[in-house]
Amino acid sequence: MNKRKTLKAVLAGTMAISLTACGTGGESTGSTGAAGGDAGKDAKKDKITITFQNIWPDATDPKNKLMKKVVADYEAKNPNVKIELDSLNTDQQKMKLKTQAASKEVPDITVVNPAEQMKPFVEAGLLAPLNDMLDQNGLKGTFQQGILDYYSFNGNTYAVPDGNNIGVVYYNKELFEKGGVKIPTTFEEMVETVKTLKSKGIQPMVIGEKDTWTGSFLFMNILLRTNNGPGFLKDVAAKKKTFEDPAFVEAVSKMQDLIQAGAFQEGVTSFDYNAGENLFKTGKAAMYYMGSWATGGIETSSVNGKVGVFKFPTVGGKGNPDEYMLAPGSGFAVSANSKHLKETKDFLNYLMINYPKEAFANKGAVGVAQTVEGDFKAAGYSDMAVEITNLFKSVKGGDLAFDNSMNPGTSQAHLTSIQNLFVQKKEPKDVAKEHQTAFEANNK
């Protein structure tokens, strides 16, 4: 996906939030044909089970709550249908789906990531086109302009996303005050802030690096700066640059500066995404770099009201803080081999038609990929949520995650290489060489 389309999608998201923030609370958008239906009549139909693999296992996450509510509502309206939830953390889900795909036993509904990550599933014929489902009940029109492009190949859309986000740094204002530090305006100040907080017994940052994409997401923001803007991976893919380019080597060096300064919690690679995030949500860390999708979970945690956000700063004087890591979000896809394809699409249509309303009601509407109707402030959203919506307005472009931009083989080598930096310091040029070797091996 090119930068123009990426920017278009994020800016569209900005406009959607901006325009709807002044609106009034809306009614449910509607319901699908079967979902709107006749429970008594449906009770006479054959019983079917739809497997719904998802990445919302955390019961405190607004998305977990909205998913369970929508499922319960749908099952009440369609008593012949049981939605069987398979809730996994992100890396568990990716591994499980990989195994399932190898045996062509993909769940009725599963989760895929955009662009290069989902391309192999599409090419293998494992996913069903969703064009007809998107045309049902006006669902397609609820998505922000351009966002579905990330999930479309050869004129067909194969997944529907739940989010359209940017990478930000959340910070605990109380811990910043206790540590006597201010919001860093450069990466070098961020490293010094880490050292100061650590010297005062405050955990500077947290991350769930057992799920390897988390460290990569942070690293890629550093690379976005050292490259003086987006497009590094695109240039590597086009063989205009290599991973041994000075910008990449510098990014590795800076990443290690942050790690070696003691930024992250002990045993960081044994914490999965939820465990790492929960340290921040329980007030045990001062900073947390993550996609803006984390806003809802933080708002419903014990640190609500104490958290602010800031843009990832310049690195070595390079880069523009208004360029962000862009995360169009994971998407729901339907198995092409589903025994209940019609019913599965019907449920997914119902879920996505109701998603914006339920996300808004559950304080999870920041960074949703669809237009959200409702007055955020009147609904009790925090100042932090409003800050996030303002950051969306500043977006001047950015990069997608590494594993959304590169083929799976190169991506896996990258994820492992960056994870290793959290447990062992390495020569940056050796890390760069690891990447280039993997890229060449997977691009013959």
Side-chain angles (χ1 to χ4, degrees):
M1 192 58 56
N2 62 36
K3 175 182 171 184
R4 185 179 175 187
K5 285 187 175 179
T6 301
L7 177 59
K8 184 179 176 184
V10 172
L11 290 179
T14 302
M15 291 180 65
I17 290 172
S18 303
L19 291 171
T20 57
C22 298
T24 57
E27 296 293 324
S28 172
T29 310
S31 59
T32 65
D38 185 333
K41 182 180 177 181
D42 287 349
K44 299 176 182 176
K45 296 180 179 177
D46 292 339
K47 301 285 186 183
I48 66 169
T49 298
I50 294 171
T51 52
F52 180 15
Q53 190 176 74
N54 64 86
I55 53 172
W56 300 331
D58 184 354
T60 66
D61 189 325
K63 292 177 180 176
N64 178 287
K65 294 177 181 175
L66 80 84
M67 171 183 67
K68 289 179 177 174
K69 181 178 186 302
V70 172
V71 166
D73 288 347
Y74 187 85
E75 288 180 336
K77 293 176 179 177
N78 298 272
N80 67 311
V81 178
K82 175 176 173 53
I83 309 297
E84 188 173 271
L85 298 175
D86 184 18
S87 304
L88 306 163
N89 70 40
T90 304
D91 270 13
Q92 287 175 336
Q93 187 269 334
K94 283 184 178 179
M95 290 299 294
K96 187 170 184 177
L97 179 59
K98 193 174 179 180
T99 302
Q100 292 168 325
S103 58
K104 299 188 181 299
E105 294 179 348
V106 174
D108 295 308
I109 299 175
T110 189
V111 176
V112 294
N113 286 91
E116 288 299 315
Q117 277 201 62
M118 67 180 290
K119 191 175 180 181
F121 297 99
V122 174
E123 291 179 340
L126 296 172
L127 306 181
L130 302 178
N131 304 36
D132 54 345
M133 186 199 79
L134 282 162
D135 290 337
Q136 188 181 351
N137 300 326
L139 176 60
K140 188 173 184 178
T142 69
F143 285 92
Q144 295 164 16
Q145 187 179 6
I147 188 72
L148 293 175
D149 291 350
Y150 295 108
Y151 311 87
S152 299
F153 300 84
N154 299 319
N156 290 317
T157 301
Y158 290 91
V160 285
D162 62 336
N164 189 18
N165 291 275
I166 55 175
V168 299
V169 184
Y170 297 92
Y171 74 101
N172 185 310
K173 295 178 181 177
E174 280 190 355
L175 293 181
F176 263 46
E177 185 175 350
K178 184 180 176 182
V181 296
K182 297 180 180 178
I183 294 174
T185 58
T186 68
F187 182 80
E188 293 69 31
E189 286 181 8
M190 178 182 278
V191 173
E192 290 305 312
T193 298
V194 163
K195 292 177 180 176
T196 301
L197 290 169
K198 194 168 181 64
S199 71
K200 295 185 178 181
I202 298 170
Q203 177 61 49
M205 302 182 83
V206 286
I207 194 169
E209 184 53 16
K210 184 177 180 181
D211 290 5
T212 50
W213 64 268
T214 52
S216 170
F217 196 53
L218 171 59
F219 169 78
M220 285 297 294
N221 210 148
I222 297 173
L223 178 60
L224 177 62
R225 299 287 182 263
T226 60
N227 190 52
N228 254 326
F232 181 85
L233 295 183
K234 185 178 178 182
D235 285 343
V236 171
K239 300 187 178 178
K240 296 177 181 176
K241 288 183 178 179
T242 73
F243 282 105
E244 296 177 274
D245 185 275
F248 191 86
V249 174
E250 183 182 3
V252 175
S253 177
K254 295 294 185 182
M255 182 77 176
Q256 291 199 131
D257 287 348
L258 195 59
I259 294 170
Q260 295 300 318
F264 303 103
Q265 75 274 22
E266 189 173 347
V268 61
T269 56
S270 64
F271 285 75
D272 66 16
Y273 171 83
N274 291 317
E277 183 168 289
N278 280 335
L279 291 177
F280 183 79
K281 286 161 50 174
T282 52
K284 295 176 182 172
M287 289 184 279
Y288 180 48
Y289 175 76
M290 190 43 61
S292 51
W293 61 77
T295 303
I298 293 171
E299 281 212 310
T300 53
S301 75
S302 62
V303 294
N304 185 35
K306 304 175 184 176
V307 177
V309 291
F310 61 89
K311 304 172 185 178
F312 199 86
T314 57
V315 179
K318 299 174 184 175
N320 181 348
D322 288 335
E323 292 174 334
Y324 292 81
M325 285 306 296
L326 307 173
S330 54
F332 295 115
V334 171
S335 170
N337 298 319
S338 171
K339 294 179 181 176
H340 310 294
L341 190 57
K342 179 177 179 295
E343 292 85 353
T344 299
K345 286 184 177 180
D346 189 72
F347 165 70
L348 185 55
N349 176 279
Y350 181 80
L351 170 65
M352 300 314 295
I353 283 286
N354 287 282
Y355 191 93
K357 181 197 70 171
E358 296 297 344
F360 182 78
N362 284 281
K363 299 287 195 298
V366 174
V368 168
Q370 295 161 275
T371 301
V372 177
E373 295 183 356
D375 186 329
F376 281 66
K377 198 169 184 63
Y381 277 74
S382 67
D383 291 341
M384 172 190 66
V386 175
E387 283 185 71
I388 293 278
T389 63
N390 287 333
L391 289 183
F392 269 99
K393 298 174 185 175
S394 71
V395 175
K396 304 297 183 188
D399 276 328
L400 294 184
F402 192 105
D403 49 4
N404 289 337
S405 306
M406 280 281 168
N407 59 63
T410 307
S411 294
Q412 187 54 56
H414 159 76
L415 295 171
T416 301
S417 182
I418 296 301
Q419 186 187 48
N420 287 340
L421 297 181
F422 284 84
V423 293
Q424 181 184 13
K425 188 175 182 181
K426 300 184 71 171
E427 285 295 326
K429 61 181 176 53
D430 292 340
V431 176
K433 181 65 176 175
E434 286 176 3
H435 280 71
Q436 186 60 26
T437 299
F439 174 76
E440 291 173 1
N442 288 281
N443 288 276
K444 291 181 177 177

